[in-house]
Amino acid sequence: MARKPALIAGVPASRLEAIARREADRYTAARPATRKALGKGAASFLDSVPMHWMKDWPMPFPMLVARAKGARLTDIDGNKLDDFCLGDTGSMFGHSPAPVAKAIRKQARNGLTYMLPTETALTAGRLLTERFGDFAWQIATTATDANRFALRVARAVTGRPKVLVFNGCYHGTVDDAMVARHDGATIPRPGLVGQVADLTRVAACAEFNDLASVEAELKTGEIAAILTEPVMTNSCMVLPQPGFHEGLRRLATDYGALLIIDETHTISSGLGGYTRVHGLDPDIFVVGKCVAGGVPTAVWGLRPKVAEGYLSYLGAKPAGHSGMGTTLSANPMQFACLAATLGKVMTAENYARMEKRAGRLAQGLAQRIETRGAPWHVVRVGARVEFICAPGPLGNGAEAANAHVPEIETVLHTALLNRGVLIAPFHNMMLVSPATKKRQIDRLIAAFDEILAEMFA
């Protein structure tokens, strides 16, 4: 039988187990109403949750939310939490921003969906171009859909079959992105449910920050598009090395592939996303989650030359289903919330506030890690901050996967919850919204330090 390690990310395993038991008991004792409600009503759902990933939270059982406003969240037992998860970016600008709530009330009186545009849709289109650049826009409901549609366009325009993605990438649940790199070869990701098609026929996988591996795949002549986040997220965060994005743009151009930038998480970087802040030049741009203030909405846009090529393709193709579009996408409620968010919430002033306070958070966490002697590090991209329970910086997806320490992360999540702080469940991510107060940031730093002090006593 394999022996348990004496230390886990620098923490004695026996101490970690004791903290884990105590924090789980504390969480449970604070939520009698939640346990009672789950016992009565959860059985109607498959595996007792409305969406399977709600089981992935490290808390002993799901928390039932009563209300959320700004950067605060309250559960049905009355426990109040400083919310740094913010719907895993969906509510990055805070819960129910006033302009969005007002837009919802107004539009609700005029209908929710009717498969036709509104005058507000025209305003939203103009604001999209002002915020993100010169693209011809389309509206989807999720970033997964937007990425899926963008890939169809890329294949149509280039006539090539494959997408190139990066090991450990995150692009929602797009089938084509569910590949990994192992021993220099592309393989389907393990754990996929009901997967029957060979994904290596439609996708290739390279390592982030490794332009040689990118060029090797492009040389096959099969790559229609490179699909990438500017920064690897949804894992232990990996920053691009100097020259990496310039190299991607050059290689895509040289080999006739399109470059798709997915900003669904890196919209935290600043006004216009990482693309605008750092001067990237994608052929196709995708962003979702928070772009309509939390109402399910995503957008994808084509540079004029790509749009022209795609419209030419459409004019020549046979009549029939395109395999793109969903009935409820581009509904009037989306446009009302999109225009309100782009025009009144996603502003330079709000980003400046987020950036300043996220800097305070990152600096505070890094100082506590250093003081306690933890072999960890902190990464920040604009309003997005992560602590990583391993030395850094990380260079690619393989290193990011190895840096995960579930035993530590689970304990930290629950312990922070018990001290009034909620962070993202799938990784150690924290977002700072315009509504986040300095005192909330200081409470998070103090709670983090209290737990660290015990772990590394």
Side-chain angles (χ1 to χ4, degrees):
M1 180 181 293
R3 300 177 72 179
K4 286 187 176 180
L7 292 177
I8 300 173
V11 181
S14 58
R15 185 181 301 163
L16 195 60
E17 289 173 1
I19 297 172
R21 286 193 299 270
R22 183 194 70 209
E23 297 299 334
D25 290 345
R26 180 175 169 181
Y27 176 91
T28 300
R31 289 169 175 81
T34 299
R35 294 184 73 191
K36 184 177 180 180
L38 289 170
K40 280 184 170 182
S44 299
F45 294 109
L46 176 65
D47 203 21
S48 299
V49 286
M51 174 61 80
H52 67 87
W53 46 247
M54 291 180 178
K55 283 272 191 173
D56 293 343
W57 285 87
M59 56 191 74
F61 50 84
M63 180 170 54
L64 297 179
V65 177
R67 59 190 174 276
K69 181 65 179 174
R72 291 279 280 170
L73 183 150
T74 306
D75 69 13
I76 67 168
D77 284 279
N79 297 295
K80 298 184 188 315
L81 301 168
D82 295 325
D83 188 3
F84 289 87
C85 174
L86 296 171
D88 194 21
T89 309
S91 292
M92 189 181 79
F93 298 106
H95 296 289
S96 300
V100 177
K102 181 179 179 181
I104 290 172
R105 289 193 297 270
K106 181 179 178 181
Q107 183 58 49
R109 294 193 293 266
N110 297 315
L112 301 179
T113 188
Y114 25 78
M115 285 186 67
L116 289 166
T118 60
E119 195 170 10
T120 305
L122 308 181
T123 300
R126 174 180 56 79
L127 288 169
L128 283 168
T129 298
E130 286 181 8
R131 286 285 175 263
F132 300 116
D134 187 16
F135 296 92
W137 297 101
Q138 287 282 274
I139 310 300
T141 300
T142 68
T144 292
D145 282 342
N147 280 318
R148 188 181 294 123
F149 302 155
L151 288 178
R152 280 191 175 269
V153 170
R155 289 178 171 127
V157 170
T158 65
R160 298 177 181 178
K162 288 187 176 183
V163 57
L164 177 62
V165 295
F166 291 102
N167 192 27
C169 68
Y170 178 70
H171 301 290
T173 54
V174 178
D175 282 359
D176 309 43
M178 296 297 175
V179 291
R181 188 174 176 88
H182 182 69
D183 291 337
T186 300
I187 62 169
R189 284 191 186 183
L192 295 175
V193 174
Q195 184 64 45
V196 294
D198 180 4
L199 295 178
T200 64
R201 297 181 63 184
V202 295
C205 192
E207 283 289 3
F208 198 74
N209 283 324
D210 183 354
L211 291 174
S213 70
V214 172
E215 187 165 20
E217 298 295 346
L218 290 171
K219 282 181 177 178
T220 65
E222 296 182 309
I223 305 300
I226 302 168
L227 172 60
T228 186
E229 297 179 275
V231 175
M232 289 198 73
T233 67
N234 214 58
S235 181
C236 295
M237 203 152 57
V238 180
L239 300 176
Q241 293 171 356
F244 177 65
H245 281 299
E246 292 81 358
L248 282 185
R249 176 65 274 173
R250 175 179 53 79
L251 288 172
T253 301
D254 289 349
Y255 288 94
L258 298 181
L259 178 60
I260 306 174
I261 296 290
D262 180 358
E263 289 261 20
T264 299
H265 279 166
T266 53
I267 190 68
S268 66
S269 302
L271 191 63
Y274 197 100
T275 295
R276 265 272 165 102
V277 172
H278 294 276
L280 306 189
D281 184 23
D283 299 297
I284 304 178
F285 180 92
V286 173
V287 65
K289 288 200 177 183
C290 66
V291 76
V295 170
T297 306
V299 301
W300 54 284
L302 309 178
R303 288 291 192 200
K305 186 176 178 180
V306 180
E308 183 181 340
Y310 179 52
L311 291 175
S312 178
Y313 169 88
L314 288 180
K317 85 173 185 69
H321 290 290
S322 66
M324 298 166 63
T326 53
T327 302
L328 295 178
S329 293
N331 67 65
M333 187 63 78
Q334 286 178 311
F335 285 121
C337 296
L338 189 59
T341 301
L342 294 171
K344 299 178 181 178
V345 179
M346 191 183 288
T347 63
E349 293 77 15
N350 274 341
Y351 268 112
R353 187 177 298 113
M354 293 157 70
E355 179 98 10
K356 183 177 180 180
R357 292 181 182 171
R360 181 186 185 94
L361 174 59
Q363 183 179 22
L365 295 177
Q367 287 175 344
R368 299 316 187 272
I369 286 170
E370 182 179 2
T371 299
R372 301 300 174 186
W376 304 358
H377 72 287
V378 174
V379 182
R380 180 169 76 91
V381 176
R384 185 185 185 94
V385 180
E386 290 185 14
F387 62 84
I388 296 172
C389 304
L394 304 174
N396 57 44
E399 292 180 13
N402 290 331
H404 267 302
V405 189
E407 301 93 336
I408 292 274
E409 293 162 3
T410 296
V411 174
L412 273 165
H413 278 263
T414 306
L416 286 171
L417 263 172
N418 290 336
R419 288 154 182 79
V421 177
L422 181 70
I423 67 173
F426 311 119
H427 40 93
N428 309 316
M429 189 275 293
M430 296 148 284
L431 280 167
V432 174
S433 78
T436 305
K437 309 297 184 188
K438 286 182 182 178
R439 61 180 177 272
Q440 292 179 287
I441 291 167
D442 292 343
R443 283 197 293 258
L444 168 51
I445 294 169
F448 181 78
D449 186 52
E450 180 185 335
I451 305 158
L452 238 63
E454 185 176 4
M455 285 183 172
F456 290 94

